[in-house]
Amino acid sequence: QVQLVESGGGLVQAGGSLRLSCAASGSIFSINTMGWYRQAPGKQRELVARISSGGIANYGDSGKGRFTISRDNAKNTVYLQMNSLKPEDTAVYYCTWAGSPGLYWGQGTQVTVSS
């Protein structure tokens, strides 16, 4: 089993920044792709960003332009730097670890952006 613990969420005004962190622990046998999804109330989860073990990043539409994903393999930790936040970024942000056959999910961290 792999456990994922997110941190760094909170309340921020529009235009501000937050940095989310997610630490993976447990039965980790390899360095796998990790990522971030988000889910706003009444909406399905959507991909924000993901990053391979080699540091290659891919962004969903919601994460392009203002967000940056990074990782520290030695710490089994992935980060999401969010800048120029907008109210529409308000959501629960979930960390993922690409296990087999599917993703492992964290419990999520709330990000609320006020106008």
Side-chain angles (χ1 to χ4, degrees):
Q1 293 293 319
V2 175
Q3 294 80 46
L4 302 170
V5 180
E6 302 99 334
S7 62
L11 176 64
V12 64
Q13 291 186 331
S17 299
L18 285 174
R19 190 191 191 209
L20 306 183
S21 299
C22 173
S25 62
S27 301
I28 301 174
F29 300 102
S30 62
I31 302 174
N32 291 4
T33 296
M34 299 182 71
W36 292 95
Y37 286 72
R38 72 183 188 185
Q39 185 171 26
K43 296 184 178 180
Q44 294 185 337
R45 293 184 185 184
E46 61 181 352
L47 174 68
V48 178
R50 61 186 179 189
I51 185 168
S52 73
S53 62
I56 299 174
N58 297 104
Y59 295 89
D61 290 340
S62 62
K64 294 178 180 177
R66 298 175 292 117
F67 297 174
T68 302
I69 189 170
S70 62
R71 69 186 299 163
D72 185 338
N73 290 338
K75 297 180 179 179
N76 291 318
T77 300
V78 64
Y79 307 93
L80 184 68
Q81 179 67 46
M82 304 187 292
N83 298 325
S84 301
L85 284 163
K86 302 176 181 179
E88 52 262 43
D89 295 319
T90 296
V92 178
Y93 285 72
Y94 297 90
C95 175
T96 63
W97 186 85
S100 180
L103 298 176
Y104 286 82
W105 295 84
Q107 292 300 307
T109 184
Q110 177 70 47
V111 172
T112 302
V113 184
S114 62
S115 60

